[in-house]
Amino acid sequence: MARALLIIVLILVLGYGAWKAFPLLAGPDLVIETPTEGQSFPGGFVEITGIAKHSERLSLNGGPLLIDESGHFSTSIVVAPGGAILSLTATDRFGKTTTVRRSVFVPNP
């Protein structure tokens, strides 16, 4: 009886450890809230917002982007008329990366 109880406790502890470790092993999670894919910006000003969980660094088209303590980020950029691809890359402390791209359009004035 004691052996069975010990095995059950061991399985629960290992399961809990795996559940808590999974986000670290899976790498960063990156969600872009705005802009949506193919969104048009007549003025050329594009606001980019989202959440980067389990991330140590975040970059937008190769340049650094600040993340707050809860993983939220927000920035505005000016895009020239025509189409543009925004590329956001999140990197965790183990060097794993996740990249999300959004295409936006700025009509000619």
Side-chain angles (χ1 to χ4, degrees):
M1 181 68 175
R3 186 174 188 170
L5 184 58
L6 180 63
I7 290 172
I8 291 171
V9 169
L10 184 60
I11 289 171
L12 290 174
V13 168
L14 290 175
Y16 179 76
W19 176 62
K20 287 303 228 178
F22 179 75
L24 295 174
L25 300 173
D29 185 23
L30 180 58
V31 176
I32 300 175
E33 296 169 342
T34 59
T36 58
E37 180 66 27
Q39 188 172 353
S40 181
F41 293 90
F45 293 98
V46 179
E47 172 134 8
I48 304 160
T49 62
I51 302 171
K53 294 183 180 177
H54 313 294
S55 301
E56 195 167 88
R57 290 186 314 268
L58 181 65
S59 65
L60 170 61
N61 294 340
L65 194 58
L66 297 177
I67 311 169
D68 70 13
E69 293 174 359
S70 60
H72 291 84
F73 61 88
S74 177
T75 191
S76 296
I77 61 171
V78 178
V79 178
I85 298 174
L86 307 174
S87 179
L88 285 108
T89 301
T91 306
D92 70 6
R93 64 180 172 185
F94 302 111
K96 292 182 182 177
T97 62
T98 298
T99 300
V100 177
R101 291 179 179 79
R102 286 285 191 274
S103 297
V104 295
F105 179 74
V106 177
N108 286 323

